[in-house]
Amino acid sequence: MNEQLSALIDDEVSMDEARHLMSALNSSAEVGETWAQYHLIGDVMRGSSTLRSSFKHDLMQKIEQEPTVLSPNAASMQHEATPALTDEATAVQLPKKIPAYWSVAASLSAVMVVGWMMWQTPVANQNTSMQMASIAPVQPLNTPVQTEVAEIPTEYLAAHQSSAPTASAYFIQTASYSE
Amino acid sequence: MRIILVLLFAFIAQHGFAAEDDEAAWQMLQKSAVAAHALSYQGIFVCNSGKQSRSVEIKHMFDGQNEYSRNVVLDGAPREVLSQDGNLVIYNPKNEKIVIEKRRGHNMFPAVLPKNLDRIKANYRLKMGGIERVAGRDAQVLLLTPKDQLRYQHHFWVDTEFGLILKSVILNHQNEAIDQIGFSQLNLFNTLNLDWFKPKIDANKDYVMEEENATDVDTSLSPHWMLKDLPAGYRKVEQMVRKVRGKDFPVTHVVFSDGLASVSLFIEPLAKDVKPKTGASSVGNTNFYSRASGFLQVTSVGEVPAATAASIANAVVFVK
């Protein structure tokens, strides 16, 4: 089933042939999860999602605080996880081949992919969530992540001063106009 | 009984005079609003905003029909603002180029007031102060105080002879001057030639026009948001769709004013992979407030108290 889903994402199966896949998607929550995860992994591989800049740092802290990620089998799996970074097809099958937490030990980049996937995965999938609890970032999954703004962004200030300047803003430009 | 009557008369007399005084102050302010457009004058004024200060040379002429003015910044980059009946052409030095920008201008010093003061009267009180000397001239101080906490205090020094505003100061709620413009030198003139009405051209620089169509007037009503409970006295004066640096999509820009102070409100769709921004900050007299409303990112910026910036951003209601 997972291979078929992977093929569907890569446009290797026509929609007619995939009709049974679509009904499976609708009927089974687990297949739906896999479908969403494959798409996410694909997005990350293509670079269309942006990782939070502090992601690596937060993740490494989490790993350091959690000794259980160092499974005895991790070392032997390392050579399998690393190629996942460069080969999209391998990456798409990553969750099937190896338990995701082994890749934490394997390489940071692989961890980032899986961590990102977990971060985006709804809490419904309890089995994986328990395995992955050690590397999931602290953000609660269902609340929107917000960025605190500490200073006035110059792009808005410049737009404001251009359309509604004060008498001194014609001559004193607090927004930086350098390009 | 007689004592009470005397006190009563005294009370009425005092208040009667006070009301007359206010009326005289409003008349003086009204005269200064017109004088700034109708007189021909030249001089140098100094702007102070935040920690920055600039001297500006101004020449303003009214020929009976049209107004012309040229403002040259004397410190730092030689920015020039030429104005003809409120149509501005700004020569803005940027690195090795001079960028030519076109704008509308309604409040260039000393013409900082609208000709119609009704909106200001609705939101502020005006009192006479003392007589003080500014730029070698006698000036009547006028104290414009807000009726609520949603705007700042303004003090004006009005030339007792010409009626021109010689100095204008904005004070925050702690009574600190946060913005100040005042003449250091001023003369009237009555010639009508226009040979001065041109920018000083630097032959070594490239002159380029600012990117066209940076803004478009927007008269449509968005189905996705509406405004509810705007802060008292602030009204929408302009709405446009504009390009904002660093944004892929055009942003809706709404300008609000209480007659003197302006606030900009920016509304944009929140892209799926972009985190909403929240927060408030203050630089000099400018306050900034940002929040998410449904699938919209809402941002307000203006030279108004923090509470006003917040309540304008909070007035946006997301409609599904």
Side-chain angles (χ1 to χ4, degrees):
Chain A
M1 175 65 93
N2 286 354
E3 273 160 14
Q4 287 172 305
L5 279 179
S6 175
L8 181 63
I9 289 170
D10 294 335
D11 287 330
E12 287 164 17
V13 191
S14 74
M15 278 308 287
D16 277 332
E17 288 173 304
R19 198 154 280 157
H20 74 282
L21 284 175
M22 299 311 285
S23 51
L25 271 176
N26 289 332
S27 62
S28 156
E30 198 190 324
V31 180
E33 289 290 338
T34 316
W35 170 262
Q37 287 177 10
Y38 283 5
H39 266 292
L40 262 164
I41 292 168
D43 283 349
V44 172
M45 288 296 156
R46 283 185 293 272
S48 53
S49 294
T50 41
L51 289 172
R52 194 159 43 113
S53 57
S54 63
F55 185 86
K56 177 177 160 186
H57 176 255
D58 294 351
L59 190 59
M60 290 312 290
Q61 270 194 337
K62 278 279 156 192
I63 292 167
E64 271 172 23
Q65 286 163 9
E66 187 51 78
T68 55
V69 291
L70 297 170
S71 133
N73 292 330
S76 64
M77 293 306 294
Q78 192 163 359
H79 65 282
E80 272 189 67
T82 314
L85 295 169
T86 47
D87 185 344
E88 191 171 329
T90 321
V92 163
Q93 288 170 17
L94 183 64
K96 193 184 71 174
K97 277 189 176 173
I98 47 166
Y101 67 88
W102 287 343
S103 60
V104 170
S107 87
L108 171 67
S109 307
V111 160
M112 285 173 80
V113 172
V114 178
W116 175 255
M117 179 189 84
M118 274 312 299
W119 189 23
Q120 295 288 324
T121 305
V123 255
N125 190 345
Q126 287 301 328
N127 289 339
T128 339
S129 291
M130 277 167 67
Q131 276 185 351
M132 301 291 286
S134 58
I135 58 161
V138 277
Q139 289 290 351
L141 291 166
N142 288 329
T143 52
V145 185
Q146 300 191 328
T147 314
E148 284 287 328
V149 180
E151 52 190 31
I152 301 177
T154 53
E155 64 271 24
Y156 292 114
L157 191 54
H160 168 67
Q161 289 185 343
S162 140
S163 290
T166 60
S168 49
Y170 290 105
F171 310 109
I172 297 177
Q173 311 254 288
T174 40
S176 165
Y177 276 75
S178 58
E179 282 170 355
Chain B
M1 186 67 191
R2 188 169 289 174
I3 291 170
I4 292 171
L5 269 179
V6 168
L7 282 175
L8 192 65
F9 276 120
F11 181 82
I12 291 166
Q14 198 178 15
H15 277 250
F17 282 135
E20 208 173 89
D21 210 35
D22 287 354
E23 196 44 52
W26 281 114
Q27 278 178 15
M28 186 172 270
L29 200 66
Q30 182 67 67
K31 185 184 169 192
S32 73
V34 176
H37 296 282
L39 295 179
S40 295
Y41 46 89
Q42 59 187 333
I44 291 172
F45 61 80
V46 180
C47 307
N48 288 288
S49 182
K51 288 173 183 159
Q52 296 193 67
S53 172
R54 294 276 185 283
S55 289
V56 178
E57 184 178 29
I58 183 175
K59 184 157 185 172
H60 174 275
M61 190 187 95
F62 180 62
D63 66 4
Q65 284 187 320
N66 300 100
E67 261 186 84
Y68 306 87
S69 88
R70 178 177 177 227
N71 300 262
V72 184
V73 177
L74 300 176
D75 310 311
R79 185 182 169 88
E80 281 201 35
V81 183
L82 270 74
S83 164
Q84 185 172 349
D85 298 321
N87 293 307
L88 311 187
V89 181
I90 302 170
Y91 295 82
N92 188 14
K94 277 187 191 175
N95 303 330
E96 292 309 302
K97 287 178 183 164
I98 310 281
V99 178
I100 302 170
E101 303 165 355
K102 290 185 171 177
R103 298 276 187 276
R104 283 290 298 167
H106 308 281
N107 58 342
M108 290 191 73
F109 185 82
V112 291
L113 298 167
K115 283 178 189 166
N116 186 334
L117 299 182
D118 290 351
R119 300 283 314 286
I120 298 178
K121 280 184 182 175
N123 298 313
Y124 299 83
R125 288 191 183 87
L126 189 66
K127 268 196 226 164
M128 292 269 199
I131 302 281
E132 290 181 12
R133 199 157 162 271
V134 175
R137 303 194 55 84
D138 282 341
Q140 169 68 54
V141 183
L142 298 179
L143 310 166
L144 189 71
T145 49
K147 293 179 177 175
D148 54 30
Q149 292 291 303
L150 296 169
R151 54 211 103 234
Y152 292 134
Q153 217 183 128
H154 296 248
H155 292 179
F156 300 107
W157 283 253
V158 178
D159 191 305
T160 49
E161 187 184 358
F162 303 149
L164 273 178
I165 290 181
L166 297 176
K167 185 171 151 185
S168 159
V169 176
I170 305 174
L171 298 107
N172 64 13
H173 291 157
Q174 285 77 45
N175 254 356
E176 298 159 342
I178 49 180
D179 197 290
Q180 177 173 326
I181 307 186
F183 278 108
S184 53
Q185 186 191 313
L186 175 72
N187 292 297
L188 295 199
F189 67 91
N190 55 12
T191 55
L192 285 180
N193 75 63
L194 268 175
D195 56 358
W196 53 271
F197 188 65
K198 59 190 177 203
K200 187 183 175 196
I201 301 293
D202 184 341
N204 296 319
K205 301 254 173 151
D206 282 341
Y207 284 72
V208 290
M209 289 301 292
E210 181 189 34
E211 191 182 356
E212 290 285 337
N213 302 323
T215 62
D216 266 321
V217 177
D218 182 18
T219 49
S220 61
L221 281 175
S222 168
H224 298 300
W225 58 267
M226 49 183 274
L227 296 167
K228 211 179 166 186
D229 301 330
L230 281 167
Y234 285 87
R235 282 190 214 160
K236 183 167 114 176
V237 291
E238 205 178 355
Q239 181 171 334
M240 66 204 110
V241 176
R242 75 176 311 135
K243 287 180 188 168
V244 171
R245 204 170 0 123
K247 307 273 174 189
D248 296 332
F249 305 101
V251 174
T252 300
H253 181 179
V254 191
V255 179
F256 298 89
S257 170
D258 72 342
L260 264 184
S262 294
V263 187
S264 284
L265 174 68
F266 301 94
I267 302 168
E268 60 205 287
L270 203 49
K272 259 190 176 170
D273 53 347
V274 175
K275 293 165 223 159
K277 293 184 177 67
T278 59
S281 55
S282 176
V283 175
N285 59 342
T286 309
N287 272 290
F288 166 89
Y289 192 89
S290 193
R291 67 183 272 263
S293 174
F295 298 121
L296 300 172
Q297 176 73 56
V298 178
T299 305
S300 63
V301 184
E303 295 78 11
V304 291
T308 309
S311 58
I312 281 183
N314 285 326
V316 178
V317 179
F318 175 67
V319 183
K320 274 181 193 170

